């Protein structure tokens, strides 16, 4: 298998056969990858990665796309956004920067599984319905009469089974299976994933759609499983595809940096401000905001602060590749639409540090102000969260301004 190493938003040249080129073109949208031939060079192509990072295998090619920020940093941000664990658990990703993203995840999953399983596999009660030769639990009278026509045995019953075949273990097994199907480059990662699968041999193999990975509720009895379940859910959410077109099959693990950044900023701001998702809402939680009076053009801002039915702040989180330090006019237009539709005096664009510089614009004839902030993602997660505190203070000032609140300095 031929290895192709790429970097987020960077362009590199690679020689490809016609079959390899066609295989990449089929999955270009999924990879967020652009491909163009190099002039005067037969079989040489310029590959430019987009905002998706991770790994993919297709048509004899093993493609690795590295993020601009370090892999441990990326995974810490992504897990924090999911609520999997907080900054004190950042040690889970304390591995060599040279490791590929799937390998880093595999090693982290194995390390978390060893800690969780050291107390024995988690067991729980699962409700079962079955036809048994003896009575166990509760007899389902209606079902017995309907299915057995008055015959005494077997008996239709419902009972609670104490088993290790529960949601938490199923998620971990599914995640190990996803990683196991990939071409992990580290022997340690491959052996570790096999060990996790072996430990969960009697747990049912379940496939979870990436958009519908169920959460696990934690309490004092299963708190020691929080890390490994959080990692498993992260893996399943981003093992986003296994597709086949003709004889060519593709499988991979990809993380969209736009989504990771937006989710991290939203969750971290809620934590810093001490508000719930009903107050500081993401785009998925905003309904009924329209640009026009006829209510035909819907708007879904990434960030919005709601005091009951009234919106007091609006913003957008952007992780994109910008040339220079200028803010795209399209982003400013988008923010202007938000503040106009919601009748707010100002709005905020939040970029990742290095993508845009802090700025402020007063809109001519409208009196609206469009602010731009840059969030530095470098360093330890605790350092990033301290910078989020400064961003939260800015959000609070804009919210107070919209509400006519003056706070003591």
């Amino acid at each position: 298998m031929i290895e192709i190493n790429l970097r987020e938003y960077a362009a590199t040249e690679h020689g490809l056969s016609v079959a390899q080129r066609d295989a990449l073109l089929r999955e270009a949208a999924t990879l967020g990858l652009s491909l163009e031939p190099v002039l005067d060079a037969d079989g040489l192509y310029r590959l430019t990665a987009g905002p998706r990072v991770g790994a993919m295998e297709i048509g004899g090619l093993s493609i690795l796309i590295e993020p601009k920020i370090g892999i441990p940093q990326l995974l810490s941000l992504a897990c924090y956004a999911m609520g999997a664990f907080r900054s004190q658990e950042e040690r889970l990703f304390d591995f060599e920067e040279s490791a590929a993203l799937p390998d880093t995840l595999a090693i982290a999953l194995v390390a978390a599984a060893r800690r969780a399983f050291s107390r024995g596999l988690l067991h729980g009660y699962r409700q079962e319905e079955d036809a048994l030769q003896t009575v166990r639990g509760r007899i389902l009278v209606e079902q017995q009469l309907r299915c057995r026509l008055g015959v005494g045995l077997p008996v239709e019953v419902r009972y609670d089974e104490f088993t290790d075949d529960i949601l938490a273990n199923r998620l971990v097994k599914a995640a190990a299976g996803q990683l196991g199907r990939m071409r992990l480059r580290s022997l340690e990662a491959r052996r570790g994933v096999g060990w996790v699968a072996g430990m969960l041999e009697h747990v049912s193999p379940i496939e979870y759609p990436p958009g519908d990975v169920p959460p696990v509720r934690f309490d004092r009895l299963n708190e020691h499983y929080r890390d490994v379940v959080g990692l498993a859910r992260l893996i399943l959410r981003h093992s986003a595809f296994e597709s086949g077109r003709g004889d060519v099959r593709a499988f991979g693990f990809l993380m969209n940096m736009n989504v990771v950044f937006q989710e991290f900023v939203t969750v971290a701001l809620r934590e810093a401000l001490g508000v719930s998702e009903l107050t500081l809402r993401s785009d998925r939680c905003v309904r009924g905001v329209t640009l026009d009076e006829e209510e035909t053009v819907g708007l879904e801002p990434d960030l919005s602060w709601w005091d009951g039915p009234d919106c007091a702040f609006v913003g957008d989180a952007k992780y994109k590749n910008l040339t220079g330090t200028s803010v795209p006019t399209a982003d400013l237009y988008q923010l202007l639409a938000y503040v106009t539709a919601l009748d707010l005096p100002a709005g905020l664009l939040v970029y990742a540090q290095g993508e845009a510089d802090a700025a402020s614009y007063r809109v001519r004839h409208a009196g609206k102000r469009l602010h731009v902030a840059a969030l530095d993602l470098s360093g330890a997660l605790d350092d990033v969260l301290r910078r989020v505190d400064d961003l939260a203070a800015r959000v609070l000032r804009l919210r107070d301004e919209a509400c006519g609140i003056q706070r003591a300095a």
Side-chain angles (χ1 to χ4, degrees):
M1 183 169 287
I2 299 175
E3 295 183 359
I4 295 180
N5 296 319
L6 304 173
R7 188 171 176 82
E8 176 192 351
Y9 285 121
T12 54
E13 295 179 356
H14 297 271
L16 299 172
S17 68
V18 173
Q20 291 168 342
R21 177 202 65 192
D22 291 347
L24 278 181
L25 285 173
R26 293 187 188 99
E27 300 294 344
T30 302
L31 275 166
L33 183 73
S34 67
L35 183 151
E36 56 184 8
V38 176
L39 297 178
D40 301 322
D42 188 31
L44 190 63
Y45 296 87
R46 181 174 295 105
L47 305 181
T48 304
R52 291 181 173 85
V53 299
M56 179 177 180
E57 298 172 12
I58 176 174
L61 298 175
S62 176
I63 303 164
L64 177 67
I65 306 175
E66 297 181 3
K68 289 188 292 184
I69 63 175
I71 289 177
Q73 184 79 355
L74 164 62
L75 295 178
S76 294
L77 298 178
C79 285
Y80 185 94
M82 287 183 59
F85 50 80
R86 295 309 189 225
S87 56
Q88 66 268 22
E89 300 298 338
E90 197 174 1
R91 67 180 185 275
L92 283 175
F93 306 118
D94 188 19
F95 301 111
E96 296 181 5
E97 288 285 342
S98 59
L101 180 55
D103 291 72
T104 302
L105 271 172
I107 294 171
L109 181 74
V110 173
R114 289 189 188 279
R115 289 197 299 273
F117 297 169
S118 65
R119 296 170 54 177
L121 289 185
L122 187 66
H123 284 63
Y125 287 99
R126 192 184 69 226
Q127 193 172 83
E128 298 280 0
E129 291 188 6
D130 202 353
L132 303 178
Q133 296 297 319
T134 59
V135 176
R136 182 180 180 185
R138 179 183 176 185
I139 298 176
L140 302 177
V141 177
E142 292 185 4
Q143 190 168 331
Q144 180 74 18
L145 294 174
R146 183 174 63 254
C147 299
R148 304 300 169 189
L149 299 176
V151 176
L153 294 176
V155 183
E156 297 288 339
V157 295
R158 178 184 294 135
Y159 59 93
D160 291 330
E161 177 77 10
F162 190 67
T163 176
D164 61 1
D165 191 11
I166 57 175
L167 176 60
N169 288 327
R170 288 178 175 182
L171 289 170
V172 177
K173 182 169 185 173
Q178 292 280 18
L179 292 173
R181 286 195 287 272
M182 296 194 65
R183 184 175 172 269
L184 298 174
R185 304 183 179 193
S186 163
L187 178 61
E188 177 188 0
R190 294 195 298 272
R191 287 177 173 174
V193 167
W195 175 82
V196 173
M199 288 292 293
L200 300 171
E201 179 182 4
H202 301 295
V203 175
S204 299
I206 306 293
E207 292 190 6
Y208 295 97
D212 189 25
V213 181
V216 174
R217 298 186 64 177
F218 292 98
D219 53 35
R220 63 180 181 82
L221 297 178
N222 65 352
E223 180 64 28
H224 62 291
Y225 255 59
R226 181 181 292 273
D227 292 350
V228 69
V229 169
L231 284 168
R233 294 188 68 245
L234 177 69
I235 292 164
L236 295 172
R237 280 190 63 190
H238 296 282
S239 294
F241 57 90
E242 182 174 7
S243 60
R245 295 176 175 87
D247 295 330
V248 179
R249 298 200 62 80
F251 179 82
F253 175 90
L254 293 176
M255 301 181 72
N256 189 326
M257 293 299 300
N258 297 318
V259 175
V260 171
F261 182 69
Q262 177 188 336
E263 291 181 347
F264 171 76
V265 170
T266 303
V267 173
L269 279 175
R270 285 177 187 152
E271 294 282 341
L273 292 165
V275 298
S276 71
E277 61 183 15
L278 294 178
T279 298
L280 190 65
R281 302 180 187 177
S282 66
D283 55 351
R284 294 189 295 271
C285 300
V286 176
R287 299 291 183 270
V289 177
T290 58
L291 179 64
D292 59 326
E293 294 180 352
E294 292 76 18
E295 300 184 349
T296 59
V297 182
L299 300 176
E300 296 181 350
D302 293 341
L303 300 164
S304 55
W305 185 313
W306 294 82
D307 293 320
D310 301 319
C311 183
F313 163 81
V314 71
D316 236 29
K318 301 289 187 183
Y319 185 100
K320 56 174 59 176
N321 189 44
L322 304 180
T323 56
T325 57
S326 60
V327 177
T329 54
D331 293 352
L332 294 172
Y333 294 157
Q334 184 180 24
L335 185 61
L336 178 59
Y338 293 158
V339 298
T340 301
L342 293 166
D343 195 23
L344 295 172
L348 181 65
L349 282 172
V350 182
Y351 288 91
Q353 184 78 40
E355 304 301 346
D357 288 339
S360 183
Y361 306 89
R362 183 175 291 275
V363 181
R364 192 187 302 273
H365 306 307
K368 308 289 187 183
R369 285 175 293 107
L370 309 179
H371 300 288
V372 178
L375 178 61
D376 185 0
L377 299 178
S378 64
L381 182 55
D382 280 334
D383 296 330
V384 180
L385 294 176
R386 279 191 287 271
R387 299 177 196 125
V388 173
D389 289 339
D390 296 334
L391 185 64
R394 190 166 186 178
V395 170
L396 190 59
R397 287 195 298 271
L398 290 174
R399 180 257 180 184
D400 290 349
E401 178 186 342
C403 296
I405 301 174
Q406 292 187 350
R407 295 180 183 267

